[in-house]
């Protein structure tokens, strides 16, 4: 009885030890033998996962294909329940011109033959400057401008960024000469692009673009946003 028990015990120890070694893999990126594949790979469809090879089974049709789908057209992201934020983030009502399809890559946009840039003249900045939010808005504006615009427009907004200095780009305006533009037109140009400037609507959301509109005003008038500035009174 005792011997039988010992034999069973030794066989079990050998079996477990062998299993432990067999399940190891020399490739440091491999998870080794998967006893419970569901725990390694979620059976739910997730974005950014290559479903071309799941649990060792290859599916050539799905391999290297994007699993994240483009949302159905007209889908509106959820921005919470604050009505001012929701109103600000609603899809932009102004349309791109038909010419912008090829010049500015507006392949999926709703296009119009009208020149909506002219209509945008009347659009006001819905992101109002207040003494409470001003500091944050200008700080965020500076970060967004440095990351997305300064290489062309220059850190001082005078149209002399490194891309222009290097000779790669020409025709970048000095903001100081653009005081005749309305907030709505500045927004439109950043959103859809203008001339040699590309569209930024896939890079920046509406709040970010309106923040940049305030930041550009600061280049044009250092008092912008302070009580001394007539423009600040106009904006509020
Ligand atoms: C690749 C270079 C480049 C980048 C990046 C760029 N711009 Fe421009 N921008 C231009 C050029 C060139 C023009 C002149 C377009 C024209 O009038 O034909 C211009 C024009 C403008 C105008 C004037 C628009 C009008 O209606 O006359 C504004 C405002 C502006 N840019 C803001 C921005 C902001 C804000 C960013 C960053 C989000 C940005 N730009 C990024 C090159 C650039």
């Amino acid at each position: 009885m005792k011997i039988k028990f010992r034999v069973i015990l030794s066989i079990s120890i050998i079996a477990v030890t062998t299993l432990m070694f067999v399940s190891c893999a020399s490739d440091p990126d491999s998870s080794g033998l998967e006893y419970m594949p569901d725990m390694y790979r979620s059976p739910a469809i997730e974005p950014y996962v290559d479903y071309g090879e799941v649990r060792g089974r290859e599916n050539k049709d799905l391999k290297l294909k994007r699993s994240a789908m483009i949302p159905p057209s007209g889908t509106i992201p959820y921005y919470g329940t604050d009505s001012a934020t929701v109103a600000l983030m609603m899809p932009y009502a102004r349309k791109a011109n038909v010419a912008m399809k090829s010049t500015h890559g507006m392949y999926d946009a709703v296009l119009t033959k009208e020149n909506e840039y002219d209509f945008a003249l009347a659009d006001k900045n819905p992101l109002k400057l207040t003494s409470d939010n001003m500091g944050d808005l200008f700080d965020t504006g500076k970060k967004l401008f440095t990351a997305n615009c300064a290489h062309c427009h220059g850190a001082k907004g005078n149209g002399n960024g490194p891309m222009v200095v290097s000779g790669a780009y020409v025709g970048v305006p000095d903001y100081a000469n653009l005081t005749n533009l309305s907030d709505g037109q500045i927004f439109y140009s950043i959103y859809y692009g203008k001339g040699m400037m590309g569209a930024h609507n896939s890079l920046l959301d509406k709040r970010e673009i309106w923040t940049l509109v305030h930041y550009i005003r600061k280049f044009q008038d250092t008092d912008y946003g302070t009580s001394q500035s007539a423009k600040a009174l106009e904006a509020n």
Side-chain angles (χ1 to χ4, degrees):
M1 185 65 197
K2 227 175 175 183
I3 294 175
K4 215 172 174 187
F5 176 73
R6 276 195 187 159
V7 170
I8 292 174
L9 189 70
S10 330
I11 290 176
S12 310
I13 291 172
I14 291 169
V16 168
T17 323
T18 318
L19 203 64
M20 277 169 70
F21 277 105
V22 165
S23 56
C24 291
S26 52
D27 178 359
D29 288 335
S30 166
S31 53
L33 187 64
E34 296 176 14
Y35 300 105
M36 305 276 179
D38 277 5
M39 299 185 74
Y40 295 83
R41 286 159 224 278
S42 163
I45 295 287
E46 290 173 19
Y48 311 118
V49 170
D50 184 358
Y51 283 93
E53 191 178 334
V54 177
R55 294 170 207 164
R57 282 191 302 259
E58 193 181 23
N59 184 340
K60 285 209 170 95
D61 289 341
L62 295 179
K63 212 158 188 179
L64 297 177
K65 289 242 171 75
R66 184 176 60 179
S67 54
M69 300 290 169
I70 295 168
S73 83
T75 305
I76 297 172
Y78 178 70
Y79 286 108
T81 52
D82 176 46
S83 56
T85 307
V86 173
L88 181 68
M89 302 309 276
M90 276 287 136
Y92 185 39
R94 299 258 169 251
K95 299 186 186 96
N97 188 271
V98 278
M100 291 171 145
K101 184 172 179 176
S102 49
T103 58
H104 290 82
M106 293 294 128
Y107 298 105
D108 298 327
V110 183
L111 303 167
T112 174
K113 287 199 176 117
E114 304 279 351
N115 189 359
E116 293 225 6
Y117 177 72
D118 289 346
F119 303 156
L121 186 87
D123 298 346
K124 298 255 176 304
N125 194 336
L127 203 60
K128 297 285 172 228
L129 272 189
T130 64
S131 46
D132 288 340
N133 70 10
M134 205 185 295
D136 282 350
L137 277 184
F138 289 143
D139 283 352
T140 313
K142 185 171 187 177
K143 280 189 198 129
L144 292 170
F145 190 82
T146 308
N148 297 283
C149 327
H151 51 288
C152 286
H153 284 276
K156 296 197 173 93
N158 58 3
N160 233 351
M163 294 273 281
V164 177
V165 173
S166 75
Y169 253 81
V170 286
V172 181
D174 181 346
Y175 290 138
N177 299 330
L178 298 178
T179 46
N180 59 326
L181 292 181
S182 80
D183 286 353
Q185 286 175 310
I186 296 181
F187 183 96
Y188 189 95
S189 293
I190 301 172
Y191 193 90
Y192 288 124
K194 188 181 183 220
M196 292 285 281
M197 174 167 80
H200 286 83
N201 61 355
S202 61
L203 303 169
L204 303 166
D205 65 28
K206 283 178 72 199
R207 179 196 292 278
E208 291 170 328
I209 300 181
W210 284 121
T211 305
L212 280 165
V213 173
H214 281 306
Y215 190 68
I216 287 171
R217 292 297 188 209
K218 195 87 181 146
F219 285 122
Q220 299 175 331
D221 173 3
T222 42
D223 280 344
Y224 178 72
T226 61
S227 53
Q228 294 93 331
S229 163
K231 283 213 184 76
L233 299 173
E234 205 179 276
N236 281 283

